[in-house]
Amino acid sequence: FVVADRKTNVCLGTCGAYTPPDWPENEIGWWLHPDARGRGLATEAAIAVRTFLYRFGWHTAVSYIHPTNQASKSVARRLGAKLEKIEPIRGEDHEVWRHPSPEYLGIAA
């Protein structure tokens, strides 16, 4: 999904499901243009996406975050995700942040 400015409709970033065939699990990912960061937009977008995906039938979700990406780890924490493990993804270690279940969040499929 596109993250857009509500007033100007300018694209500020993206947020959505990421499920390539070689990916270990269904992922929720986000990216914002540097000028759009620090305003809570990634958190807001990821909550909306996660709710949509859980209602669509996902039972779990993770976010793979590079160990040096402190901003994304902060978003994951605000989403209630917990660091589960470190896993190599396409040859590089990533932290696996597990999102709360739809049941825990009170989201019915």
Side-chain angles (χ1 to χ4, degrees):
F1 297 96
V2 171
V3 177
D5 184 284
R6 287 186 174 138
K7 293 178 184 171
T8 65
N9 213 29
V10 169
C11 176
L12 302 175
T14 62
C15 183
Y18 194 63
T19 60
D22 63 335
W23 231 232
E25 289 191 65
N26 292 336
E27 179 181 17
I28 298 170
W30 50 84
W31 175 86
L32 291 177
H33 187 277
D35 293 343
R37 295 176 186 163
R39 300 177 0 204
L41 298 172
T43 303
E44 180 182 351
I47 289 169
V49 165
R50 182 175 64 195
T51 299
F52 172 82
L53 294 170
Y54 282 173
R55 287 186 178 147
F56 185 72
W58 281 24
H59 301 288
T60 188
V62 298
S63 292
Y64 295 104
I65 301 175
H66 192 275
T68 63
N69 190 337
Q70 298 303 321
S72 279
K73 289 194 254 188
S74 293
V75 171
R77 284 186 198 96
R78 285 192 295 278
L79 294 168
K82 303 290 184 206
L83 178 60
E84 188 172 86
K85 61 184 173 181
I86 296 182
E87 187 168 345
I89 305 290
R90 295 182 180 163
E92 194 168 5
D93 282 347
H94 283 74
E95 295 179 357
V96 180
W97 287 77
R98 174 83 46 198
H99 290 264
S101 69
E103 296 80 18
Y104 179 83
L105 296 171
I107 301 170

